[in-house]
Amino acid sequence: MKSPALRVLMVGTALEGRGGVAAVVSVLRGHGLFEREAVRYVATHAEGPRLAKARGAVAGFWNTLRACFGQHPAVVHVHSASHASFLRKSIVLLVARLAGSKTIFHLHGGGFRTFATQESGPLMRRWIRHTLEHSSVVIALSEGWAQFVHEFAPMAKVAVVPNSVPLPARVDRTLEEPGRILFLGRLEAAKGVFELLGAGARLARDFPQLRLVFGGSGDVDGVRRRARELGIEDRIELPGWIGPRQRDAELARASVFCLPSHAEGLPMSMLEAMAAGKAVVATRVGGIPEALRDGSDEVNGMLVPPRDEAALAAALATLMGDAALRERLAARARASIEQHYSTEVVCGQLSAIYRELAGTER
């Protein structure tokens, strides 16, 4: 018996994973996009031991092949970052094109520019360009990333669709703890965790209530060791990776959210903090400056250069010492999410792309 027609096949990482792509897709699914647009999701990557990852990849490719040639989806939408993620998804897109589907390459990960222009050799650069230019649409998270795609792959058709986050119903300021700074992300140098520790050491004397909370997995021992060297081991908390419920609780307690990354796409953790009504300090990298605006009449957060410990400390000191400023930036940050990054807005943009590619209207 022939399988029923499939409208959209979406391919990415396992949704129970801890990365940004899993968070993005979970938000889209939770808002009903899968039901409205007849989306089937296939995971080609999962966290865990090497053997489990290999089994997951094989199963994912097999399910993708069966879907592409058995159900003939109108659109195949892949979420991709760099390195192995790109290789897996580029093969999926090749299979989809051979099966006659329209294709969407959804670009995530702040390291893609370096991967494409510096870390890849001539053949890989050619394959990356080919993949981008032969996709029906490349989705970039910001205008800045769209400009990079146009420069690297001039024939690519690019659409800008930001990440989205749900908007919490209310913000309870009474739960905030003065001096509590929250970081959410992988604990590694590229996320700026060591600059945040250095900034914390500069602030500790003037702000006796200072607490640095690092929510995430990764180099926990390295973070603890550096905090000890700086004399602020008693000022840090390392709860490990936290799920949505604990994340929301930590956001409610935080006075300031800080993400001092060296490179980014459009980080979900920052958008979640803005939606939760938090004053945010982040670095001027990737798509962050398009969501978090500083130095203008519409300022809704504070931006600092990456790898600049002194500037980071100064921005955090300004916010921690000015409750009115924190509240003003927090309110504007939440309003920005409501206007531009809500799930309703982003799901509508994706639905329009699907319908255009599939040649259908509703």
Side-chain angles (χ1 to χ4, degrees), residues 275-359:
K278 294 293 142 177
V280 175
V281 177
T283 40
R284 195 177 280 104
V285 296
I288 289 177
E290 294 177 36
L292 199 70
R293 296 181 297 276
D294 195 355
S296 70
D297 293 338
E298 298 180 350
V299 58
N300 61 356
M302 299 189 73
L303 293 170
V304 298
R307 300 181 176 88
D308 192 332
E309 180 184 299
L312 182 62
L316 291 171
T318 297
L319 278 181
M320 288 196 297
D322 191 336
L325 176 62
R326 287 199 309 273
E327 187 168 346
R328 185 164 64 251
L329 295 185
R332 290 178 180 175
R334 182 177 164 90
S336 296
I337 296 297
E338 186 173 9
Q339 294 167 14
H340 304 293
Y341 300 94
S342 71
T343 50
E344 191 68 37
V345 170
V346 172
C347 284
Q349 291 175 300
L350 288 175
S351 291
I353 292 173
Y354 291 159
R355 295 168 192 172
E356 179 182 357
L357 293 180

Side-chain angles (χ1 to χ4, degrees), residues 163-175:
N163 289 335
S164 68
V165 291
L167 197 70
R170 58 189 290 269
V171 176
D172 187 352
R173 298 283 177 210
T174 65
L175 299 176

